[in-house]
Amino acid sequence: MAGMSKKVFAGHAVRNVRERLGLTQIDFARRLSLSPSYINQIESNQRPVTAAVLLAISRTFDLDITRFGADDLDRIVADLREALADPVFRGLEPSLQDLKNATTHAPAFAHAFLRLHGALRRLDERRAALDDAVVSVAREVDGEARNPAPYEEVRDHFHYIDNYVDGLDRAAEERNAALDLFAREDAVAVLAQHLRQRHDIVVDMAPADALDAPLVAYDRHRRVATLSRTLDRASQAFRLAALIARFEQSDLIDQHVIDAGFRSATAREVCRLSLQNYYAGALMLPYRRFARLARERRHDLDILAAITGASLEQVCHRLSTLQRPGEKGVPFYFLKVDRAGNVIKRHSATRFQFARYGGACPVWNVHEAFEQPSRTLVQVGEMPDGVRYLCLARGTSKPATRYGARERRFALGIGCEISYAGELVYADGLDLKSAAVAPLGVNCRICPRASCPERAFPPLDREIVLDPDRRDVVPFSVRD
């Protein structure tokens, strides 16, 4: 069974299942034909959850056993390590085993700690930026800093649910089948006809000279959706699919937003928009058919884009969401960065850790994609935890709409753990045992690699040493 090669201590998950079912430990054990003492030991993490117990829980209560995996706990541990690298915790750094124990026994507390640390960082950043502000402004900032930034809160939400939303994904798959939409060259026309027949909405194009028009504008009084002429066909179809999500999946979307428990109205609206986009991607690239095609074509990005009519970005994003219980595809990470290194999108179904704060690792090949935009770059990278990944990077751009306007360039990064490399065409001819391995990190502020020549600044949790008689590429060394 995938994910069961190591011991899984998931007492919190078992306890949450039992409490949601409204059962005592005695009743829960009786339904599973186990002893109450055994269940007590599992819930207190004195004993691991065995495959037999997981299967018994799955069959008895009709639950997905993948929720008991350790991947989410690994992510929380990595996030805690990054947070605890903050100088405010210097001298108090718990061991890796302590972090694992805290996360395993009290994951809700770990999430609360991360939320509190995020609030602390935002408060410090705001105060630094407003150093000379009046006291009344500073007080207002204090109030704002208690809540996470809306986009950050939503991004973390999707990160911890593996970027997969089952109800929306299945609803999109059903709609795709009803419209016979998969890999249709006339997808835009099919979607426009559906909007007209089902919702009495007319799809129109913006005037030829309206180059500054929004990508899509919906006039609710005239019931007209106007698309920008700057959109390519794949983007036109995506925008119409997102509009369909707005009118047909509002109940599912609203319930998901409520269940997520966001702390601000803005975060709820950001999530609502993200879920509409999620549905759009799932509608254009339905789960089973796209997953099957991806396996057959060994995840060749260009071929998948050519067959489906989707953009390269849409293909990469969709690959990172193929985590349906019982039908999981290759677990990918996916991100999109701009020329300044800002991460615009990041999703991961892997243990690969993105920095929550600060820039990304300069050794990562995603930065090289700007230099060679027409090539798919392949890199074997190893994170500090020893896990190796097959890392792909590709440049993409949005053309300028008029003379003098800047072409918008981006880099897409997508990859998977090296154990899945054989399922990707990009590993062909690559000797994974002897290939050069790039030593990657989350970012410089918490990277433990003392000898990295591309380090931008010293790690926050290590003491630096300066030798006046020695000057290397990096002007300091790091004390272990």
Side-chain angles (χ1 to χ4, degrees):
M1 181 183 302
M4 291 301 296
S5 59
K6 60 180 179 180
K7 293 182 179 180
V8 176
F9 291 88
H12 66 289
V14 175
R15 182 172 62 252
N16 289 341
V17 167
R18 178 178 60 78
E19 291 175 347
R20 283 200 301 271
L21 294 169
L23 299 175
T24 66
Q25 285 188 344
I26 294 175
D27 291 336
F28 190 66
R30 180 176 52 79
R31 296 276 296 275
L32 295 174
S33 299
L34 300 171
S35 71
S37 62
Y38 184 43
I39 293 298
N40 181 271
Q41 289 176 326
I42 288 177
E43 291 191 6
S44 60
N45 285 311
Q46 297 177 33
R47 300 184 68 165
V49 184
T50 65
V53 171
L54 289 180
L55 289 172
I57 293 174
S58 174
R59 291 168 179 165
T60 304
F61 303 108
D62 193 25
L63 294 174
D64 170 29
I65 63 174
T66 60
R67 73 176 64 185
F68 297 96
D71 287 352
D72 284 347
L73 298 183
D74 290 340
R75 294 179 188 180
I76 299 173
V77 169
D79 289 345
L80 286 174
R81 293 186 73 182
E82 180 181 356
L84 287 163
D86 195 307
V88 73
F89 300 114
R90 183 163 293 152
L92 301 173
E93 301 90 342
S95 67
L96 177 59
Q97 188 58 50
D98 287 340
L99 295 182
K100 289 181 178 179
N101 289 339
T103 304
T104 300
H105 289 277
F109 178 82
H111 278 293
F113 176 86
L114 290 172
R115 183 177 294 178
L116 181 63
H117 178 256
L120 174 66
R121 281 193 56 87
R122 284 187 294 276
L123 181 60
D124 287 343
E125 291 167 359
R126 293 292 188 96
R127 281 178 168 164
L130 299 175
D131 205 357
D132 299 322
V134 296
V135 173
S136 60
V137 173
R139 286 175 178 168
E140 180 181 348
V141 171
D142 283 347
E144 291 178 359
R146 292 190 187 100
N147 291 323
Y151 273 93
E152 178 183 313
E153 187 178 9
V154 173
R155 189 162 60 177
D156 283 349
H157 169 72
F158 279 93
H159 176 68
Y160 285 114
I161 63 171
D162 279 348
N163 196 32
Y164 176 74
V165 184
D166 190 69
L168 277 182
D169 211 293
R170 293 181 186 275
E173 189 171 36
E174 291 176 4
R175 176 59 66 202
N176 180 284
L179 296 176
D180 189 23
L181 190 61
F182 185 62
R184 291 273 296 260
E185 292 185 2
D186 60 344
V188 174
V190 172
L191 293 170
Q193 183 181 27
H194 177 74
L195 283 166
R196 183 172 62 253
Q197 294 178 346
R198 179 77 177 266
H199 303 286
D200 194 28
I201 294 173
V202 175
V203 176
D204 198 2
M205 300 299 297
D209 59 348
L211 298 179
D212 292 327
L215 300 182
V216 61
Y218 175 63
D219 186 330
R220 64 181 64 193
H221 300 294
R222 296 172 51 229
R223 302 190 70 77
V224 174
T226 304
L227 295 172
S228 168
R229 291 183 180 271
T230 62
L231 294 174
D232 56 32
R233 299 293 286 177
S235 298
Q236 289 177 15
F238 186 88
R239 296 268 54 96
L240 294 182
L243 197 60
I244 290 174
R246 173 180 170 183
F247 291 107
E248 296 184 6
Q249 302 302 326
S250 58
D251 289 344
L252 275 177
I253 289 173
D254 289 345
Q255 189 58 54
H256 185 101
V257 170
I258 292 171
D259 292 342
F262 294 110
R263 300 168 37 153
S264 70
T266 303
R268 289 190 286 273
E269 289 306 311
V270 171
C271 185
R272 190 169 281 110
L273 178 63
S274 298
L275 290 169
Q276 290 172 5
N277 289 340
Y278 181 97
Y279 178 90
L283 177 59
M284 301 312 300
L285 300 171
Y287 196 101
R288 288 189 177 91
R289 297 188 68 175
F290 181 68
R292 185 184 311 116
L293 179 65
R295 287 193 301 271
E296 292 171 351
R297 297 294 180 165
R298 301 189 59 223
H299 303 87
D300 188 313
L301 303 178
D302 292 292
I303 289 181
L304 293 177
I307 292 176
T308 62
S311 69
L312 191 70
E313 180 179 343
Q314 290 169 357
V315 166
C316 291
H317 194 162
R318 185 55 170 152
L319 285 173
S320 74
T321 70
L322 300 181
Q323 293 299 296
R324 179 176 292 179
E327 303 177 61
K328 290 188 175 185
V330 171
F332 284 102
Y333 70 74
F334 167 66
L335 84 163
K336 178 182 179 181
V337 301
D338 66 13
R339 285 186 282 197
N342 298 309
V343 178
I344 300 172
K345 293 182 181 180
R346 64 169 171 86
H347 303 291
S348 182
T350 73
R351 289 176 286 176
F352 193 96
Q353 287 297 310
F354 300 108
R356 293 167 61 84
Y357 308 103
C361 176
V363 181
W364 200 6
N365 66 350
V366 69
H367 306 294
E368 298 179 35
F370 291 103
E371 303 168 14
Q372 306 177 66
S374 60
R375 292 184 55 204
T376 299
L377 306 180
V378 182
Q379 177 187 55
V380 176
E382 181 178 281
M383 294 297 281
D385 61 2
V387 179
R388 292 187 177 184
Y389 297 85
L390 186 67
C391 307
L392 313 177
R394 181 73 171 270
T396 185
S397 63
K398 303 289 185 182
T401 57
R402 61 166 62 87
Y403 175 75
R406 283 173 59 87
E407 178 185 57
R408 293 178 296 152
R409 295 183 182 179
F410 305 96
L412 306 177
I414 185 170
C416 62
E417 291 188 22
I418 207 72
S419 58
Y420 295 94
E423 299 186 45
L424 277 64
V425 67
Y426 302 98
D428 289 357
L430 188 63
D431 187 345
L432 298 177
K433 293 183 179 180
S434 61
V437 178
L440 305 180
V442 178
N443 66 10
C444 291
R445 66 186 296 275
I446 62 169
C447 183
R449 303 186 189 281
S451 60
C452 178
E454 298 194 50
R455 179 177 287 283
F457 42 82
L460 296 177
D461 60 344
R462 302 288 183 89
E463 181 183 355
I464 65 172
V465 180
L466 296 171
D467 185 346
D469 299 322
R470 180 183 177 88
R471 177 61 162 88
D472 211 331
V473 176
V474 178
F476 56 81
S477 59
V478 179
R479 195 184 304 279
D480 292 332

